[in-house]
Amino acid sequence: FKVRANCKLDFEVGKESLNMNDSLTILECNKMLDMLRQSRGSDNNVTVLGITVRGYSSPEGRFARNRMLSRGRANTVVNLIKREFPNLSREIKAELDENDNVVPWQAVADVMKKSTDPVVLNYASIIDNVLERKSGYDAPQSELRTHKELWAYVKDSVLPSVRRTEIVTELQLTRILPLEEIIQRYNTDVDFRAGRGITQAQDYMYY
């Protein structure tokens, strides 16, 4: 099964290092490490198959720079976990998505569309309109910056929310079933009786 967690970690502006003067960042780091400890538990039958870290950067600024930042920030978290769990160093890795973990402008507009404020919804429509004419990251941003009030709102109220770090821990749990459960499952579960469906994949979300 997999344990999935999203952490709101505050990085120094334009840097790969965590802002450890921020109390929320310290709290989120502790939450992340506690989640990993809890997922492992004290059960010797739990094996950590892998820990994947994805660090997402917001799209303002140059795409090439943001791509480097997202990768570097993910590696910062990887190194933090390795220091806490040195015996798991081989299982931990940073991972990039198809956008190199730079959140696209369309995702920014989609966040704004969840608002009930007509001003914010109008801002989202403006972004949609720009994206219909200009693709990528840098070209839409140049035009969005000309909308002063929109840009101020996006920069202060939306972009901080899309910067996040996601940690996915894949675990394997081997459990010895008591006789009563074996009999009960044998009588009620066709797949179990046929030797199928014993391994169940699940996603657990922590926020």
Side-chain angles (χ1 to χ4, degrees), residues 5-72:
N6 278 300
C7 301
K8 296 296 295 181
L9 301 176
D10 183 22
F11 289 88
E12 302 282 356
V13 176
K15 297 182 180 180
E16 300 171 3
S17 55
L18 284 166
N19 179 11
M20 298 309 292
N21 293 320
D22 178 63
S23 58
L24 181 58
T25 295
I26 296 173
L27 181 66
E28 287 290 292
C29 282
N30 289 333
K31 182 183 79 171
M32 172 186 68
L33 297 174
D34 285 344
M35 180 274 296
L36 291 171
R37 293 188 191 98
Q38 291 170 15
S39 64
R40 293 181 68 201
S42 58
D43 193 336
N44 293 328
N45 293 324
V46 175
T47 302
V48 177
L49 301 179
I51 299 174
T52 303
V53 178
R54 304 183 186 102
Y56 293 90
S57 64
S58 53
E60 83 277 20
R62 293 291 181 184
F63 175 75
R65 175 58 179 159
N66 287 333
R67 179 172 54 187
M68 292 175 59
L69 276 177
S70 62
R71 182 178 299 146

Side-chain angles (χ1 to χ4, degrees), residues 33-188:
L33 297 174
D34 285 344
M35 180 274 296
L36 291 171
R37 293 188 191 98
Q38 291 170 15
S39 64
R40 293 181 68 201
S42 58
D43 193 336
N44 293 328
N45 293 324
V46 175
T47 302
V48 177
L49 301 179
I51 299 174
T52 303
V53 178
R54 304 183 186 102
Y56 293 90
S57 64
S58 53
E60 83 277 20
R62 293 291 181 184
F63 175 75
R65 175 58 179 159
N66 287 333
R67 179 172 54 187
M68 292 175 59
L69 276 177
S70 62
R71 182 178 299 146
R73 288 171 174 176
N75 284 327
T76 294
V77 177
V78 165
N79 291 331
L80 177 66
I81 297 173
K82 284 182 177 180
R83 286 197 298 270
E84 187 71 18
F85 304 102
N87 59 318
L88 296 178
S89 292
R90 296 180 60 182
E91 287 80 12
I92 304 171
K93 65 177 181 178
E95 185 175 88
L96 298 175
D97 63 12
E98 66 274 13
N99 296 311
D100 289 330
N101 293 4
V102 181
V103 176
W105 284 110
Q106 186 60 62
V108 174
D110 291 343
V111 170
M112 298 166 70
K113 290 173 187 176
K114 297 176 182 178
S115 174
T116 57
D117 186 334
V119 174
V120 176
L121 293 174
N122 182 55
Y123 288 161
S125 297
I126 293 174
I127 296 177
D128 281 341
N129 181 265
V130 170
L131 293 176
E132 287 178 0
R133 294 179 285 104
K134 297 184 177 181
S135 61
Y137 286 82
D138 298 341
Q141 180 178 180
S142 297
E143 182 170 340
L144 291 174
R145 285 178 178 271
T146 66
H147 299 269
K148 302 297 184 183
E149 293 182 354
L150 178 154
W151 184 255
Y153 175 81
V154 167
K155 187 176 180 180
D156 294 339
S157 302
V158 184
L159 295 184
S161 70
V162 301
R163 303 180 191 119
R164 70 186 194 281
T165 303
E166 182 182 73
I167 299 98
V168 179
T169 307
E170 188 170 0
L171 307 169
Q172 178 176 286
L173 173 62
T174 305
R175 184 166 65 93
I176 299 175
L177 302 179
L179 179 60
E180 295 81 3
E181 184 174 347
I182 293 175
I183 295 172
Q184 188 270 332
R185 293 185 65 177
Y186 185 87
N187 290 330
T188 60

